[in-house]
Amino acid sequence: MPQWNAMAKETFGKDTEDIQTIEKHIPVLLANLMLGFHYSQPLTPNIIPVGGLHIRSPKGLPEDLQEIYNEAENGVVYFSLGTNIRTNELDVEKIEMFKETFGRLNVTVIWKIDFQLKDCPENVYLQQFLPQNEILAHPKTRAFISHCGGLSTMESVHHGVPVIGMPFIVDQHFLGTLIEKRELGVILEYETLTADVFYEAIQKVLNNEMRKEKRQGGTQTMAPDSEYEWSLDTTALLSLDYICLKILNYTVVVRRRNAPPLHRTRRLEVAS
């Protein structure tokens, strides 16, 4: 926390008070919570859940990916561990196990990977950069093998794609627990994962009779095509000098340009 306070003073001005004090006097807090997915909790009027705000309406797949989908008669399994988990740093044995398992499947596998991998099965396609939102939105995407990162989890829930999760760090374990509790997928332990266990988990998800429409029910996101709408006029937000964002385990204060230093006694009002 001392490092955060030093960073805040350097960014917002030397008269800025400690973050612990500022947090107690926040007019509006935008929380990265998805209604119907996260646990129920009481929220005061100035806490606005905006989970899924980053999700955009799909623009369609690039031509090369569209060709893969056109030929995927039995659907697609999408495999990505996000940006923090580097596939080139995973155990070689695990990489080989993934290859072996994918070769046993009768579906197409699209794998986001950070390095060139040789001798892949014919049903596996490798790319370093992939349009995840568009892939998850595609009706042929049948499952998402994921690290259970915050944004990836919200995207899978929003698009109704079941998850085979392998949490690695921090909030990923918590989100993995929620995925299982909501019956939106299965969660595996990476360290003890074997080819047979991995294969059975994928088959369990692929053979699940739960329809995509049913999986989408009961969740509300801030995505553009969602029925859930802002309860606060955006002009009210723009009138504030500071807005506090609660993103996963972090609290971020956004400062309007030329706004005065933050003080405990300074009260900010939200326009009605």
Side-chain angles (χ1 to χ4, degrees):
M1 190 60 74
Q3 293 178 338
W4 290 11
N5 287 328
M7 186 182 302
K9 292 180 183 296
E10 180 181 352
T11 304
F12 300 134
K14 62 181 181 180
D15 294 331
T16 300
E17 293 198 358
D18 291 345
I19 292 177
Q20 300 96 316
T21 303
I22 296 172
E23 285 184 325
K24 298 176 182 178
H25 300 272
I26 296 171
V28 176
L29 191 151
L30 307 181
N32 200 26
L33 299 173
M34 180 178 285
L35 299 181
F37 175 70
H38 286 92
Y39 290 115
S40 299
Q41 54 189 294
L43 300 176
T44 57
N46 67 327
I47 299 178
I48 305 173
V50 294
L53 184 63
H54 70 289
I55 302 174
R56 294 292 178 261
S57 299
K59 300 179 180 179
L61 295 171
E63 185 175 344
D64 57 339
L65 280 179
Q66 187 59 59
E67 291 181 2
I68 294 174
Y69 269 84
N70 291 342
E71 298 176 359
E73 296 181 358
N74 297 318
V76 171
V77 171
Y78 172 53
F79 181 22
S80 172
L81 298 179
T83 55
N84 290 327
I85 309 301
R86 307 291 296 181
T87 50
N88 58 359
E89 297 177 357
L90 299 180
D91 297 334
V92 175
E93 294 78 8
K94 284 292 193 293
I95 295 293
E96 292 300 317
M97 182 268 292
F98 292 150
K99 286 170 51 179
E100 175 190 341
T101 304
F102 294 153
R104 297 167 60 185
L105 301 175
N106 66 343
V107 298
T108 298
V109 177
I110 297 178
W111 185 354
K112 178 183 178 296
I113 194 168
D114 303 319
F115 63 98
Q116 295 294 328
L117 187 62
K118 299 180 180 180
D119 302 323
C120 273
E122 294 183 356
N123 65 322
V124 178
Y125 295 86
L126 308 177
Q127 287 199 26
Q128 186 173 2
F129 301 102
L130 289 163
Q132 179 163 292
N133 184 58
E134 281 67 27
I135 288 176
L136 294 177
H138 199 284
K140 277 192 174 182
T141 302
R142 298 178 59 188
F144 179 19
I145 303 173
S146 171
H147 62 309
C148 300
L151 301 184
S152 292
T153 297
M154 290 187 180
E155 290 167 10
S156 64
V157 172
H158 175 76
H159 292 299
V161 179
V163 173
I164 298 102
M166 290 184 288
F168 284 80
I169 56 175
V170 199
D171 61 303
Q172 297 170 10
H173 297 283
F174 166 73
L175 293 172
T177 300
L178 272 179
I179 287 171
E180 278 199 318
K181 183 177 180 62
R182 306 300 188 205
E183 298 182 349
L184 300 174
V186 297
I187 303 302
L188 307 172
E189 290 288 341
Y190 170 78
E191 295 295 336
T192 59
L193 188 60
T194 64
D196 287 338
V197 171
F198 192 37
Y199 176 80
E200 291 173 4
I202 297 174
Q203 290 295 93
K204 179 179 179 179
V205 169
L206 293 179
N207 296 329
N208 195 328
E209 296 180 356
M210 186 182 301
R211 294 178 58 83
K212 187 170 185 177
E213 292 82 358
K214 183 178 180 181
R215 292 197 300 269
Q216 286 181 311
T219 61
Q220 293 177 322
T221 73
M222 287 299 299
D225 55 350
S226 171
E227 296 179 357
Y228 184 65
E229 298 180 354
W230 283 92
S231 59
L232 180 67
D233 194 321
T234 53
T235 57
L237 294 177
L238 294 176
S239 70
L240 299 175
D241 287 333
Y242 296 89
I243 298 175
C244 183
L245 307 179
K246 187 70 174 179
I247 304 176
L248 301 178
N249 298 324
Y250 303 94
T251 300
V252 181
V253 177
V254 179
R255 174 178 182 259
R256 182 173 59 81
R257 182 177 297 179
N258 299 324
L262 289 171
H263 290 283
R264 177 181 55 188
T265 56
R266 188 164 183 270
R267 305 296 296 181
L268 298 176
E269 299 297 333
V270 179
S272 59

